[in-house]
Amino acid sequence: MRLFNNVGFIKKDEREFDMEKYNDLAVSLQNLRNVKEKGITIVKSFQEETFISYMHLWEEALLVMRTLERMGACKGCEVVIQC
């Protein structure tokens, strides 16, 4: 199954963790933060795919969170991120 977003296609691995058990993405990612061998695959074209493990995604999310906190963002603040 492939889901479309503004970056490209994200291929969903059928064996992957069932995120529907949790009520939000942050909780799901937190539960998967130590998993290196599973993650998401971003399909940029028919020839180019990039795999990102759940562990790496968690580490990058923490870096973004810390950066936003240093800039003054706090829990409950609304933040607009433009890519």
Side-chain angles (χ1 to χ4, degrees):
M1 177 174 155
R2 290 176 185 236
L3 304 172
F4 184 75
N5 70 9
N6 61 353
V7 176
F9 287 93
I10 299 175
K11 190 166 49 176
K12 183 178 178 190
D13 185 342
E14 308 303 332
R15 300 163 296 156
E16 169 178 323
F17 185 77
D18 182 13
M19 289 195 323
E20 292 180 11
K21 288 196 248 180
Y22 299 94
N23 58 1
D24 65 34
L25 182 60
V27 172
S28 299
L29 188 55
Q30 186 174 15
N31 283 293
L32 293 165
R33 68 184 176 269
N34 296 317
V35 179
K36 293 180 189 176
E37 54 283 334
K38 291 185 180 180
I40 62 170
T41 300
I42 300 172
V43 180
K44 296 180 181 179
S45 69
F46 286 105
Q47 293 86 21
E48 187 179 359
E49 295 183 355
T50 303
F51 175 78
I52 302 170
S53 71
Y54 290 125
M55 178 182 273
H56 183 73
L57 188 58
W58 175 257
E59 291 166 353
E60 292 295 316
L62 288 179
L63 289 173
V64 171
M65 180 187 73
R66 289 183 188 123
T67 300
L68 291 171
E69 287 174 341
R70 280 194 300 273
M71 296 172 72
C74 59
K75 185 175 182 175
C77 288
E78 292 185 15
V79 177
V80 177
I81 300 174
Q82 184 176 355
C83 299

